[in-house]
Amino acid sequence: MEASSIFCGGVSTLLLKSPGVRRRPSGSISFYKRAVLGSPISHRIIWASASSGSSSRSATKRRSRRRKNRGEDDGGVIDVMYKNTNKNTNKAAAVFDSDSEEEASGRQPQVYDQKATSLRSLYQKGDPLGWRDLGKDVVKWICQGMKAMALDFAMTEMQGEDFSELKQRMGPALTFVIQAQPYLNAVPMPLGLEAICLKACTHYPTLFDHFQRELRDVLQDLQHKSLIHNWRETESWKLLKQLANSAQHRAMARKTSLSKSSVHGAKSIQYKIDEFTKLMSDLLRIERDAELEFTQEELNAVPTPNEHSSSPKPIEFLVSHAQAEQELCDTICNLNAVSTSTGLGGMHLVLFEGNHRLPPTNLSPGDMVCVRICDSKGAGATSSMQGFVNNLGDNGCSISVALESRPGDPTFSKLFGKNIRIDRIQGLADVLTYERNCEALMMLQKKGLQKKNSSVTIVTTVFGDKEDVALLEDNNVVDWAEVELDGLLDTEFYDTSQRRAIALGLNKKRPVLIIQGPPGTGKTGVLKQLISLVVKQGERVLVTAPTNAAVDNMVEKLSGIGANIVRVGNPARISPAVASKSLVEIVNNKLADFRSEFERKKSDLRKDLSHCLKDDSLAAGIRQLLKQLGKTMKKKERETVREILSSAQVVLATNIGAADPMIRWLNSFDLVVIDEAGQAIEPSCWIPILLGKRCILAGDQCQLAPVILSRKALEGGLGVSFLERASTLHDGVLATKLTTQYRMNDAIATWASKEMYNGLLKSSASVASHLLSDSPFVKPTWITHCPLLLLDTRMPYGSLYVGCEEQLDPAGTGSFYNEGEADIVVQHVFDLIYAGVSPATIVVQSPYVAQVQLLRDRLEEFPLSMGVEVATVDSFQGREADAVIISMVRSNNLGAVGFLGDSRRMNVAITRARKHVAIICDSSTICHNTFLARLLRHIRYFGRVKHAEPGGSGGSGLSMNPMLPSVS
C-alpha cells in the first residue's frame, strides 16, 4: 500500500492507495470533455462512469481510513469532547445506513428528515467534511462527482489535447467550486438530503480534498496500466499542486481552519498539537545544529594570549560566550591522569588532577565529555576518547571520568604522563538526547489524544481551551479542588501555601499541577512529603529532573521515606552517594548467588572443553551448553530488572533517561513529578509526562532558564520551559505558588519579592530579622548587623578608580576579571572572619570565570580563609550560605554590563544568602542597566552603602576596626 502526503492550505491529509484496479468505461472520454467545456451531460452516463471506477470494498476501506485519520475511533476524554458536538450528525448517519440497506434490497428509498443535520454548522467548518458531518450518501455523492472531474482531467492530458486551456480556467477557491458544479449536478442527489448537498457542493475544502484523492487514484490506475510513466510528473498532478500551494488557497484555508467557530473539541486540540510539535521539531533541529557547531568550535578552540602577556603560567581553562547572557566554562586544561578504578556497572574510571584547585567549570556529574592529550597551552589536542563525568572531587582538585575504553586500549594507556584536556559535549549534540526529544514530540502528536494513552487528560488540559476544560469538568473527568488533609500530615510543620500544594497534589482527578517554589520556600520538602503520601495511598511515582545531579539530590531526599525507590540511569552518571539505590547495584545484589553459581558452571564447562578438543562432537556439545548457559544468564537478568522495576514504588531518572525502554515498557505511572522543571526544555518534559496519568512540575521560572545556544531557537520559544508556559494557562488554575520563605533576612527577601514575584513572597517570622550577629560566637559589629551592603568603587563624578577597571584575561580564556574588586572581596572576607563568622558559612560569587579563578588564587594564599567557597553564580543555584559576597567585575566608561543585567541570574545570586549580602561593584557602570539600578536603590533604602578602595582595609568609609559598633 503506497502512501503520499498532500498539503492543501496547510492541512496534511494522508492518502492511501486503493488496492483495487480502477477501470474507465470505453467511450466516456468525449462526455468528460464536454463537461469541462460546460456542455450538458447525461446524468446516466456520468453516474455510470463515476460509479464503475472502484469496488465497494476499496470505498469502504477508504472511508474507514478517513474516519481513523479524523480521530473518530478515539474514546475516553475524546468521547467527552465529541459528546455534545455531534449528536445531530450521529442521528443523520444512522438514517443514511438504513438508506443503504434499502437500496441494496431494491426497495424505494425513503425521504430523510433534512433537520437531522445542522446546515448552519456545516458551512462554517474549515476542515474537509466527512461522513460524520454529512452522512455516507452525501459523501458518496461528492466522491462520484469529483471522480468524474478527475477522470476528465486525466483523459484531457492523455489525448494530447491543449492542457493550457484547462489551466487558464482552473483556479483555487471560488473558481474551483464553479468548475466542479457541472460534475456534481450530473450526479443525482440523495432523496431528502438536497439541502445538505447544496451546501456541501459549495464547500471548497471538502471539494478540493475529495478531488485530490480521486485524481491521485485515477493517475495511479493509469500508471498501473503503463499508460503513464510517473503519475506525480503529469500535468494534472502538477496543476493540483500549483493550486494547493497558491497564496489564495493557503489564505482561505488558514482563515477558515483557524476560525474559532470552525473547529471543535478534539479536532481543535489535535490542530494545536500538530502546530506545537512541528514548531518544536524545527527549533530542536536548529538548536542541535547550533550545539554541534558550538561543540566543534570548543573542541578546536585554543587560547589566544595577549601579545603583551608574558605569564609562564599554564592555561587551565577556556570560556565561551554562546550568548550575551551567559559565560560557559566547559573546557579544563593541564590535567594529569593519576589512577584508574572500576566503577558501578564495570565502568573504567580515571581520576584526573590539576596542579592545584580545578577552575570554576560548568561540568557536572553525568555530562558527556571528550578527553584528549594537549600541550601546556591547551593546544594540539590528540588521542580523543569519549566518556562521562563521574564525580568532582570534594577537595575541588580532581575530576573522575568514566571512559568507554578499556585499560588495555593503547589510547587509554597514552593518557598517563601527559597533559590532558577535557571538553564538554553539549546535550543535543548527543544523538541519543536529540532523538529522544524528537521521539517524544512524535508520540505526543500521534498518541496524545488516543484513549489508550494514560496521559490523555494531561494533553487535553494543556492544549485545550477554556471550553474544553469546562467540558471535562462538567463530565467529572477533572477536578481542581484540594483534598482534605485531616490526619494525613502534621499541619503545624507546613504553612498555608505548602499545605495547599500538598492538598492539590493529592487530588487524583487533577491532571496538571505547577508548584512554583521561590528561593527558600521549602519546595523540595513539599515534594518529599507529597511523594510519601502518594506512595502510602498505593500509587506508583516516576520522579525526573533535567540533570543527573538534581535526580541524585531527590534520591537522597527520598531515601528516608521508607518507600521502595530505584534510580535508573547510566552507572557512570550516578553519584556514588546514591549508588546503592541504582538499578545496576540492586540487580547485582539480587543476582549475587546466581552469578556465583553461573561462574562455577561456566568454569567447569570450560575445563571439560579443554580436555576434549580432539573430540569434535563432544566439544560442539559443550560449546552449545556454554551458549545456553549465557542465554539463561541474560534471561535471568531481564526477569530480575522487570521484577525490580515493576515492584518499585518510586522510579527516578533524568527526563531523557525516562525514555529508556525498561521504563517505557512498564505500566503507566499514577503520578509523574518533574523537579527543576524551569531548567528543562519543553520537549524533554513530555518524555516522562506521557508515561503517567497526572503530573506535577516543580521549579521556579524566575531563576535560571534552559541553556539555549541558538538565538533563533531562543526567540522561537525553545527557551520557554513547560513550567513557565503551563503556569499561565486557563487563568492560572494549573499553578500554585509557595509564598513563605524560610531562608533570607527580610531586607534581602523584599527585593526578590518586589522584583521577581509581584510582591507575593513573604518572610517567616523565624528568619525575617535574623543577622550574622545572631549566630554563635559572632561578635556584634556594623558589618554583622548589616543584611545588605554595597561596597562601591565609584569615584567622584563617576570616574573609574585606578586598579578597579575590568580587564580581559590576558591568557586568552575569553573572560573578564577585576583585580581591585578582588582585593576588596578578600578584605571583606577577613572582616567577617575576624568578627567570628565561620569560613564554611561564607560564599563568594562572581558571574565571570576568570574573576572566580583570581579570587580562589588570592584566598588560597591565606590559610585563615580555608573553607570559604568561591563559585560562579550558575554553579551555586539550589544552595545557600549565611554570608554571600558578589563581585560584579564590570567597570568601564561605556556602561556595558554584559550578562549582569539578566534578572534571573541576579535573583539566583542574591537569594543564596541567609543573613548577609555584600555587593562589590562600580555603581557608575552598573546603574546604566535599569534592573540593576533598582537593586542599588533598594540597598540604599534597606541596607548600607560604603565607598571602597583596594588595600587599606577597604579604604575610606570602611572602618579599620571591624569591631566598631553599628551606627544607627
Side-chain angles (χ1 to χ4, degrees), residues 160-364:
E161 300 183 12
D162 187 8
F163 201 76
S164 59
E165 181 181 355
L166 184 61
K167 284 185 177 180
Q168 293 176 0
R169 288 198 308 272
M170 185 56 65
L174 182 59
T175 305
F176 182 89
V177 173
I178 294 174
Q179 292 293 331
Q181 296 312 303
Y183 302 95
L184 293 169
N185 293 336
V187 182
M189 297 181 186
L191 294 178
L193 300 174
E194 289 84 356
I196 300 178
C197 290
L198 290 174
K199 283 289 185 180
C201 74
T202 58
H203 191 254
Y204 171 65
T206 301
L207 298 182
F208 193 91
D209 180 65
H210 285 286
F211 174 72
Q212 53 94 13
R213 293 170 184 264
E214 299 297 341
L215 179 61
R216 188 282 315 271
D217 289 340
V218 168
L219 294 176
Q220 286 185 345
D221 184 33
L222 294 175
Q223 180 176 328
H224 179 73
K225 296 177 180 180
S226 301
L227 297 177
I228 58 176
H229 178 64
N230 187 349
W231 63 273
R232 291 187 178 88
E233 299 300 326
T234 59
E235 292 296 326
S236 303
W237 192 253
K238 290 180 180 178
L239 174 59
L240 179 72
K241 298 292 288 183
Q242 182 180 350
L243 296 179
N245 293 326
S246 64
Q248 186 178 359
H249 174 92
R250 290 197 301 267
M252 182 176 180
R254 288 175 181 173
K255 181 179 179 181
T256 56
S257 62
L258 289 179
S259 172
K260 185 65 179 177
S261 61
S262 65
V263 285
H264 301 283
K267 290 184 179 180
S268 175
I269 297 174
Q270 186 62 50
Y271 178 83
K272 293 178 182 178
I273 294 175
D274 293 342
E275 291 294 305
F276 169 79
T277 53
K278 183 179 184 303
L279 173 63
M280 287 293 121
S281 296
D282 292 341
L283 295 179
L284 280 174
R285 177 180 50 79
I286 294 171
E287 174 64 13
R288 182 171 188 258
D289 292 343
E291 291 192 8
L292 286 171
E293 182 179 355
F294 178 77
T295 300
Q296 189 60 53
E297 290 177 355
E298 276 200 324
L299 294 175
N300 296 336
V302 294
T304 55
N306 190 306
E307 58 182 4
H308 302 294
S309 174
S310 58
S311 174
K313 184 179 178 180
I315 303 298
E316 296 181 351
F317 65 93
L318 293 175
V319 302
S320 55
H321 298 81
Q323 293 178 11
E325 291 83 5
Q326 55 193 348
E327 182 176 88
L328 305 176
C329 178
D330 294 337
T331 300
I332 306 178
C333 305
N334 271 286
L335 297 172
N336 298 307
V338 294
S339 64
T340 63
S341 61
T342 302
L344 185 64
M347 296 294 291
H348 298 285
L349 304 180
V350 181
L351 183 66
F352 297 96
E353 291 183 353
N355 296 326
H356 48 82
R357 189 179 180 88
L358 294 180
T361 176
N362 290 87
L363 293 174
S364 61

Side-chain angles (χ1 to χ4, degrees), residues 111 273 276 303 352 355 399 454 570 595 606 633 696 841:
V111 177
I273 294 175
F276 169 79
F352 297 96
N355 296 326
I399 179 173
S454 59
N570 189 325
R595 287 184 191 277
R606 288 190 177 277
M633 185 65 199
I696 296 176
T841 63

Side-chain angles (χ1 to χ4, degrees), residues 488-503:
L488 292 178
L489 75 162
D490 195 343
T491 55
E492 68 181 37
F493 292 104
Y494 299 92
D495 60 55
T496 303
S497 63
Q498 291 175 336
R499 290 196 297 271
R500 170 176 165 79
I502 295 173

Side-chain angles (χ1 to χ4, degrees), residues 706-723:
V707 177
I708 305 297
L709 303 186
S710 168
R711 173 65 62 181
K712 186 176 180 181
L714 184 65
E715 294 174 349
L718 190 60
V720 179
S721 67
F722 188 22
L723 179 138

